Amino acid sequence: MVKSAPAPTANRKPSKVEGLKEHSNFLREPVASELLQDTTHFSEDAVQILKFHGSYQQDNRDNRVKGQEKDYQFMLRTTCPGGFIPPQLYLTIDKLADDYGNHTMRVTTRQGFQLHGILKKNLKAAIAGMVKSMGSTLSACGDVNRNVMASPAPFKNRPEYQYAWEYAKNISDLLKPQTGAYYDIWLDGEKIISAEEKPEVKAARQNNSKSIVEDSLEPIYGNLYMPRKFKVCVTVPGDNSIDLYSQDLTLVVMTDEKGELEGFNVFAGGGLGRTHNKEETFARMADPICYVTKDDVYEIVKAVVATQRDYGDRTDRRHARLKYLIHDWGVEKFKSKVEEYFGKSLTPFKELPEWKYQDFLGWHEQGDGKLFLGVSIENGRIKDEGTLQLKTGLREVVEQLNLPIRLTPHHNAILFDIEPENKQVVQDILERHGVVTDPDKIDSLVRYAMACPAMPTCGLAITESERAIPGILDRIRSLLDKVGLQDEHFVVRMTGCPNGCARPYMAELAFVGSAPEAYQVWLGGSPDQTRLALPYMERLHHNDIETQLEPIFVFFKQSRKSGESFGDFCDRLGFDAIREFAANYEVETVAPPEITDDSDGLVEAMADSTTGAVVEESGGKEVAIANTTIASSKSRHRVSVQDDIYVKLKAAATSQGKPMSELVNKALEAYFENQA
């Protein structure tokens, strides 16, 4: 079960990172000094401060050679509220990826861009180039407010969306670090203003209230900044394209009958990061907190931030997020403390409609006579590969038509402000480069899936994610076809570690890296990301995917209610029923050759993966995973075949409407009869 909170922080020493922040001269050192050194990488102390500037130091594990220095490189992440990317900035990032990076651009699940493969010697030029094109990497990482998300749909005739984008930008400005270190280090002191912040935002930051650290260069953060990262989003009623329950702070735009802004509903306390075998770490959904008028929105944001700033755990970084503070205190105590900073009583939360997830792919009217096009980007990776020349195609569209872009929380991109007469121009360019613009032509499993980058550059990755999920989705699709669920789809997410960057704990089916080539399996999230998934299996080797998922899919087919989603089915039936059905189910699966761990065609016995005990607490909002176990139940045998034989076998099985295993068994039976 979830352990009790650690001992009071007053009796424990602050973590090392707290000391580094305190002595960094407001995020300058040791980054500024070490940047001047002729080395391939920064020290560990500098790396902690470098994060605040929007960069992570990484090494390419594919290139590791024993006895040689690591292949050090850097990831840069942009800060772009609501995912807004002006055309010139897009073209700059595209060029920087070629000049200094690995020739790809990665759309993140927080509506930003990441560039990978940048060398230390090119880091300053890359950041400077981005800033000079109205971009920024400041506070994209580190113990500060990260990129503020907003629903990406560019509806110009729906004022609630306009307000969401406006306040995402304003809150980003409000919570932006005020230190000049960023400009001192990367632009030699030249402060480039991409967009002037509103006077009311500037006034709110300096307002002399209890939320403010007086006489500080950082009036909201102070010299220690936040105990841990802080995530904010702004959305509109009913639109859960931004996974609102996974955020530290969510604002929901509330308008009157005329579409005029009245105020905001406030959620707080969401977060998905956790650590394997650390029961005190868990995924948690945000709670409704209050409603505030539009005049008080900046003060409530500051009050929530200040509560976390002053009472968040600075001794244990695994226990430092706002979700743990609310869990330890309870929602009512948290609201009481927020009231102290806010300076007035909190107003009750207002009723909201049901939340729905949308990805906004395909062509849409944006409400002002123009069009927008949502483009699916598999795993968020914009690159040229084979017949799919996505990077070149998007660049040509932006260059030719000067179109702005909004990145989506599902790591896709929306081209907008398209004149109707240019629709065919956009269509022709993209299709010529192999880009599918009709979402109905994209496999639905692929369309709704997400994966984090993981290997080879993420230092936290335990196993593969982005590079593994295409093959795993193909296998799941084949399995669904086999059991008669050809038209079924559900939300699948994968991460290479338990930190949850692709938000797996809100998915209907999720794979969370737990060991090399192995994953925890989580089931039961909702299609609209309004319910946490729960851990079903502690460790599943990727070779066992068919063996373990087939009985679950068959049970789903046999026992679902009319129109019931896979996630809702798993949540309704519960894991005991699913495991009981699976235990009595005989799997008949022939593994394709590329997923077997032998290459000699011999019979291979695969032990099932099983789970330890799982405890659910607090109404399903918090999950603790049990210690890893690798107990085995009855073994099932699998046969690998050569590529050309497998292709023929699959085609024959499909044409005859029979399982491949049936054809194999008949063929082997005939073979042995002839031998006799």
Side-chain angles (χ1 to χ4, degrees):
M1 59 185 295
V2 177
K3 294 179 180 177
S4 59
T9 58
N11 300 328
R12 301 159 64 203
K13 292 183 179 180
S15 68
K16 179 183 177 182
V17 175
E18 294 301 312
L20 293 174
K21 290 185 289 186
E22 184 177 14
H23 298 101
S24 69
N25 188 15
F26 292 99
L27 308 182
R28 285 177 174 80
E29 295 296 344
V31 173
S33 298
E34 292 189 19
L35 185 65
L36 302 176
Q37 298 171 1
D38 185 18
T39 60
T40 59
H41 59 284
F42 291 91
S43 68
E44 182 55 38
D45 287 357
V47 165
Q48 296 299 325
I49 303 303
L50 182 66
K51 294 176 183 178
F52 290 81
H53 298 261
S55 180
Y56 280 93
Q57 180 169 284
Q58 303 177 328
D59 78 280
N60 189 330
R61 285 191 254 181
D62 286 350
N63 295 339
R64 283 184 181 176
V65 177
K66 188 176 181 179
Q68 295 184 14
E69 184 181 75
K70 294 177 180 178
D71 180 14
Y72 286 106
Q73 48 190 250
F74 294 81
M75 178 267 280
L76 270 182
R77 182 183 294 158
T78 64
T79 305
C80 39
F84 176 63
I85 306 288
Q88 183 54 50
L89 176 58
Y90 181 87
L91 296 175
T92 294
I93 295 173
D94 177 275
K95 187 173 187 301
L96 290 174
D98 290 338
D99 291 349
Y100 302 124
N102 65 358
H103 305 284
T104 74
M105 304 147 70
R106 183 56 150 76
V107 183
T108 77
T109 55
R110 289 203 68 77
Q111 299 180 274
F113 269 124
Q114 287 183 176
L115 297 181
H116 295 92
I118 300 172
L119 301 181
K120 182 189 174 192
K121 65 181 180 181
N122 296 324
L123 198 54
K124 184 172 182 177
I127 293 177
M130 198 175 295
V131 175
K132 290 177 180 178
S133 292
M134 297 179 64
S136 178
T137 65
L138 175 62
S139 76
C141 323
D143 298 347
V144 284
N145 172 57
R146 302 290 182 88
N147 192 49
V148 179
M149 298 172 68
S151 175
F155 293 124
K156 298 298 179 68
N157 62 337
R158 297 181 61 177
E160 65 270 32
Y161 279 89
Q162 302 285 331
Y163 292 129
W165 305 331
E166 176 186 351
Y167 278 85
K169 173 65 168 61
N170 291 349
I171 291 166
S172 179
D173 287 343
L174 176 71
L175 300 180
K176 186 178 297 182
Q178 297 300 293
T179 174
Y182 185 74
Y183 298 96
D184 291 345
I185 294 172
W186 309 110
L187 290 102
D188 298 321
E190 179 185 2
K191 188 166 186 179
I192 297 173
I193 304 297
S194 58
E196 193 67 37
E197 65 183 18
K198 292 187 175 180
E200 61 265 31
V201 174
K202 186 174 182 179
R205 187 188 304 113
Q206 300 294 339
N207 183 34
N208 187 17
S209 67
K210 189 173 181 180
S211 301
I212 297 300
V213 179
E214 294 188 37
D215 301 321
S216 174
L217 178 64
E218 296 282 12
I220 291 180
Y221 291 127
N223 66 340
L224 292 177
Y225 295 87
M226 297 294 281
R228 204 69 166 85
K229 58 187 173 184
F230 195 86
K231 298 180 178 181
V232 180
C233 74
V234 187
T235 191
V236 305
D239 184 343
N240 193 27
S241 61
I242 41 69
D243 267 357
L244 71 98
Y245 287 105
S246 68
Q247 313 281 341
D248 289 273
L249 177 62
T250 292
L251 301 179
V252 183
V253 172
M254 305 296 286
T255 56
D256 62 19
E257 294 179 355
K258 296 180 180 180
E260 295 292 328
L261 179 64
E262 289 188 324
F264 299 84
N265 268 348
V266 180
F267 291 82
L272 301 184
R274 44 178 291 279
T275 303
H276 288 317
N277 303 322
K278 298 286 185 182
E279 296 178 10
E280 65 270 26
T281 67
F282 45 82
R284 187 183 194 278
M285 288 173 57
D287 292 294
I289 301 299
C290 65
Y291 167 82
V292 295
T293 65
K294 62 181 181 181
D295 294 335
D296 286 335
V297 63
Y298 302 129
E299 290 305 315
I300 197 66
V301 170
K302 289 194 303 177
V304 173
V305 169
T307 301
Q308 163 66 353
R309 177 196 68 207
D310 294 346
Y311 294 95
D313 190 348
R314 293 184 181 271
T315 69
D316 180 359
R317 292 182 65 78
R318 287 198 178 105
H319 187 254
R321 292 288 299 277
L322 176 64
K323 64 179 177 178
Y324 296 118
L325 182 64
I326 296 180
H327 169 73
D328 295 345
W329 278 4
V331 174
E332 292 308 312
K333 179 178 178 180
F334 174 76
K335 289 167 67 172
S336 177
K337 184 58 65 175
V338 168
E339 280 185 339
E340 292 181 23
Y341 286 98
F342 187 49
K344 62 179 79 173
S345 298
L346 299 182
T347 302
F349 198 81
K350 290 196 173 184
E351 185 177 352
L352 289 169
E354 186 177 0
W355 295 104
K356 294 292 183 182
Y357 168 77
Q358 301 177 74
D359 60 15
F360 305 109
L361 296 186
W363 286 99
H364 303 266
E365 294 183 358
Q366 65 184 35
D368 60 353
K370 297 181 181 181
L371 307 172
F372 71 83
L373 172 64
V375 179
S376 176
I377 303 174
E378 189 170 350
N379 297 317
R381 185 70 65 175
I382 298 177
K383 61 182 177 180
D384 290 343
E385 186 173 76
T387 58
L388 178 57
Q389 300 286 297
L390 178 61
K391 186 170 181 290
T392 299
L394 287 176
R395 180 176 65 245
E396 188 173 325
V397 169
V398 175
E399 283 179 333
Q400 187 165 329
L401 299 176
N402 199 39
L403 296 179
I405 288 176
R406 281 197 181 272
L407 305 178
T408 83
H410 204 76
H411 54 39
N412 297 319
I414 294 176
L415 298 158
F416 67 104
D417 284 349
I418 303 170
E419 299 288 351
E421 59 267 27
N422 289 328
K423 177 180 179 180
Q424 196 59 49
V425 176
V426 174
Q427 190 83 17
D428 290 345
I429 292 173
L430 294 178
E431 289 182 354
R432 177 160 40 87
H433 289 90
V435 181
V436 177
T437 57
D438 181 356
D440 292 334
K441 295 181 179 179
I442 301 169
D443 185 285
S444 52
L445 281 178
V446 175
R447 175 175 178 175
Y448 295 104
M450 289 201 299
C452 70
M455 299 288 195
T457 54
C458 178
L460 299 176
I462 302 169
T463 190
E464 297 281 0
S465 181
E466 180 183 337
R467 298 194 296 194
I469 198 172
I472 287 176
L473 291 177
D474 285 345
R475 291 163 61 188
I476 292 175
R477 174 55 66 199
S478 295
L479 192 54
L480 291 172
D481 291 347
K482 173 189 173 184
V483 303
L485 292 169
Q486 293 88 343
D487 298 326
E488 194 62 38
H489 72 86
F490 35 80
V491 177
V492 181
R493 293 177 178 176
M494 172 177 278
T495 56
C497 81
N499 284 284
C501 291
R503 302 192 288 276
Y505 309 117
M506 305 299 292
E508 294 179 89
L509 168 63
F511 301 93
V512 178
S514 60
E517 300 186 333
Y519 303 86
Q520 289 176 344
V521 177
W522 291 64
L523 299 175
S526 75
D528 296 307
Q529 288 86 67
T530 57
R531 179 180 60 240
L532 277 176
L534 294 172
Y536 172 77
M537 184 173 294
E538 176 68 11
R539 183 169 294 182
L540 170 68
H541 192 275
H542 74 89
N543 283 346
D544 278 344
I545 285 175
E546 285 85 357
T547 304
Q548 295 297 335
L549 293 187
E550 181 173 323
I552 302 175
F553 293 159
V554 170
F555 192 30
F556 171 51
K557 180 184 178 183
Q558 294 179 0
S559 304
R560 71 189 299 188
K561 293 182 177 179
S562 177
E564 187 174 36
S565 71
F566 179 66
D568 289 347
F569 165 81
C570 293
D571 180 70
R572 176 176 63 84
L573 267 292
F575 293 170
D576 288 344
I578 294 173
R579 290 191 180 106
E580 181 179 357
F581 182 89
N584 296 302
Y585 180 82
E586 289 296 329
V587 178
E588 296 181 353
T589 300
V590 176
E594 65 271 16
I595 63 165
T596 185
D597 65 359
D598 68 0
S599 58
D600 56 10
L602 298 177
V603 173
E604 173 188 16
M606 304 299 296
D608 291 343
S609 300
T610 62
T611 62
V614 174
V615 175
E616 176 190 354
E617 291 195 351
S618 301
K621 292 185 177 180
E622 296 153 9
V623 174
I625 192 77
N627 290 336
T628 299
T629 60
I630 315 179
S632 62
S633 59
K634 61 181 179 180
S635 64
R636 299 187 175 99
H637 304 286
R638 303 170 70 185
V639 177
S640 72
V641 296
Q642 296 177 352
D643 289 7
D644 56 340
I645 299 297
Y646 174 73
V647 172
K648 294 176 182 178
L649 177 62
K650 185 175 182 180
T654 301
S655 65
Q656 297 178 36
K658 298 179 180 179
M660 287 188 287
S661 57
E662 181 178 335
L663 300 187
V664 170
N665 287 329
K666 288 182 178 180
L668 289 174
E669 183 178 1
Y671 171 80
F672 288 122
E673 286 179 357
N674 290 334
Q675 291 293 309

